[in-house]
């Protein structure tokens, strides 16, 4: 009889647990659907709708938590072998409840102040009060999400954990990590953006327009620049000028480190057009800011930079811009019109400069007036930042930290001891606008062959001159250079700079499979291999750079490169121990 009763109790508990697991799963499934609705309402800035859907989410989450937190469920968590499944589910439900009440509900209340439309100017001004009002909710949500992510990361699958539970933990951790990153970004934005937009006093920013048709390490020659004034959110365009309007300074405007001078020459600090021969945008920005000050006497509070490709992304959000010159600039023609067609249409340098200034002012006016779709604009800025086409620098350390966190700093590749990242940076040496026709592709790979745990790394850089065969005569001298700097018209001369991880040791280089000597140096702790190639129309060259990685580094490194007219292809390079230099 006693045995029968025990069996009945066990069966009853099993049924009880099974029913509650089913009900909890049903509530979790419902909460996933509602969570997507909440996210959409918050993104749209719909406070009332976001608040209502967040309350529905809380109902489902609370119900699920209740089903997996009763005494029978908690007791099941103590059972050997299978107990880990019950205890893990209870912990996950508890964390989900913390996130819902501590992060989602507060953010839904502030939806109108944290959506992309918050930073959309209205009649030339950004509402800084909305950003400030959103901050308390964002700070609370950031703290809750960071704590929740840490809790989930500490959960370990014990012996007996079924795949459904362990998979659920990993999925939850992934979603939570993404949410934590997004809210962390919002925390940074609400903390530094108001002051950056003039809440505590007027700001003046220098904007560099990089021209990828004449490559520089960070993108292209800064052929034009402008001041943007911001006072308590009100945005106005100030002085505009071309790079040729700057004098050749007799010496670098700021002290340059010996490696920088050795790699790029003192011209780095003497010519406005050459401030970004270095791939370190913070140095570029300081040099440009100082040149601006010496030329015009104006102090700047930071430097921004973008190229025509980034501009084409912005035009996807603004729609077409009609220019006073008669052209219509849109996302499909911006790159070709600004970097190629304009050179054929306008014969004089002044006409070209006037056209670029007109285009920049027209796009600025549309953005400053808020004539764009907020979500599309956010996507455009995110893409431009990811491709390093949108860069920023601030002398204010707090703001610079935010810039770095937003992947906008343009610094040398961030490294981890176990994972190397190469930087491949290109500078035009033709003295013209032929890089519109340059095509690049990269391969990077490695292999572990040594007993000391140091991998062999290899980077391959393939460059092609895709200009027409008759480029010397069919293209204007302004584009080919006309041979002024010793490069035959139609040819492209390119300086290639490969920055290896600081722990790497240089082994050797090849050009089309044959050994080649390169200039070697150190720049800010990074080993650098530098060379230059000249390509006639239709010609290609492959440069190979070989390095020994640091102890314990992974055999597969990554690579970032100069943003060019065309996004270059990057592929994995397969290596064998027989093919590497020991």
């Amino acid at each position: 009889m006693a045995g029968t009763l025990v069996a009945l109790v066990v069966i009853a508990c099993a049924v009880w647990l099974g029913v509650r697991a089913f009900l909890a799963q049903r509530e979790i499934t419902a909460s996933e659907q509602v969570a997507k609705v909440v996210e959409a309402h918050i993104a749209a800035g719909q406070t009332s709708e976001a608040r209502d859907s967040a309350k529905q989410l809380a109902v489902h989450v609370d119900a699920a938590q209740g089903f997996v937190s009763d005494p029978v469920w908690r007791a099941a968590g103590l059972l050997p072998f299978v107990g880990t499944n019950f205890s893990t589910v209870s912990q996950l439900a508890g964390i989900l409840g913390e996130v819902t009440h501590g992060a989602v509900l507060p953010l839904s209340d502030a939806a109108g102040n944290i959506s992309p439309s918050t930073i959309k100017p209205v009649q030339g001004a950004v509402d800084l009060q909305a950003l400030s009002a959103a901050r308390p909710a964002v700070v609370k949500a950031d703290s809750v999400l960071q704590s929740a992510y840490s809790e989930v990361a500490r959960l370990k699958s014990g012996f007996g954990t079924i795949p459904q539970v362990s998979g659920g933990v990993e999925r939850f951790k992934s979603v939570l990590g993404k949410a934590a990153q997004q809210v962390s970004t919002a925390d940074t934005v609400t903390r530094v953006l108001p002051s950056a937009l003039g809440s505590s006093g007027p700001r003046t920013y220098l904007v560099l327009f990089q021209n990828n048709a004449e490559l520089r390490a960070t993108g292209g020659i800064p052929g034009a620049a402008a001041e943007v004034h911001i006072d308590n959110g009100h945005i106005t365009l100030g002085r505009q000028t071309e790079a040729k309007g700057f004098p050749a300074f007799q010496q670098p405007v700021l002290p340059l480190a010996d490696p920088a001078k050795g790699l790029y020459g003192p011209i780095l600090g003497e010519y406005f057009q050459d401030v970004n021969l270095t791939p370190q945008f913070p140095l570029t920005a300081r040099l440009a800011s100082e040149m601006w000050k010496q030329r015009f006497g104006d102090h700047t509070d930071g430097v921004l930079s973008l190229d025509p490709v980034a501009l084409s992304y912005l035009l996807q959000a603004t729609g077409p811009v009609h220019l006073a010159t008669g052209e219509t600039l849109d996302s499909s023609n911006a790159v070709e019109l600004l970097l190629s067609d304009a050179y054929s249409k306008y014969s004089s340098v002044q006409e070209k400069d006037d056209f670029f200034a007109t285009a920049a002012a027209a796009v600025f006016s549309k953005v400053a007036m808020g004539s764009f779709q907020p979500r599309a604009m956010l996507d455009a800025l995110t893409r431009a930042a990811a491709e390093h086409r949108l860069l920023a620098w601030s002398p204010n350390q707090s703001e610079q930290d935010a810039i770095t966190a937003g992947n906008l700093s343009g610094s040398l590749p961030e490294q981890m001891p176990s994972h190397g990242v190469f930087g491949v940076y290109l500078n035009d040496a033709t003295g013209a606008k032929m890089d519109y026709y340059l095509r690049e592709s990269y391969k990077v790979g490695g292999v572990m062959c040594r007993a000391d745990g140091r991998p062999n790394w290899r980077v391959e850089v393939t460059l092609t001159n895709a200009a027409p065969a008759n480029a010397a005569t069919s293209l204007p001298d302004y584009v080919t250079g006309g041979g002024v700097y010793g490069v035959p018209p139609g040819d492209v001369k390119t300086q290639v700079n490969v920055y290896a991880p600081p722990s790497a040791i240089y082994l050797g280089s090849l050009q089309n499979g044959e050994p080649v000597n390169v200039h070697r140096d150190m720049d800010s702790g990074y080993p650098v291999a530098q060379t230059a190639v000249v390509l006639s129309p239709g010609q290609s060259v492959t440069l190979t750079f070989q390095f020994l990685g640091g102890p314990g580094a992974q055999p597969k490194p990554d690579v970032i490169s100069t943003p060019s007219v065309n996004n270059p292809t990057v592929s994995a390079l397969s290596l064998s121990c027989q093919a590497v230099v020991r």
Side-chain angles (χ1 to χ4, degrees), residues 102-138:
V104 178
L105 284 170
L107 289 178
S108 68
D109 286 335
N113 296 326
I114 58 176
S115 70
S117 60
T118 304
I119 57 174
K120 177 180 177 178
V122 177
Q123 296 301 309
V126 176
D127 184 1
L128 301 185
Q129 290 184 343
L131 283 171
S132 299
R135 179 134 184 82
V138 172

Side-chain angles (χ1 to χ4, degrees), residues 213 428-439 464-494 533-540:
D428 173 76
T430 315
K433 301 295 185 288
M434 285 296 295
D435 289 323
Y436 180 78
Y437 301 98
L438 187 69
R439 302 292 180 267
T464 302
N465 182 352
N470 63 346
T473 55
S474 65
L475 297 177
D477 285 349
Y478 188 76
V479 174
T480 67
V484 172
Y485 295 100
V487 180
D491 288 6
V492 178
K493 184 175 183 180
T494 307
V533 293
V534 179
L535 298 173
S536 298
Q539 280 191 328
S540 292

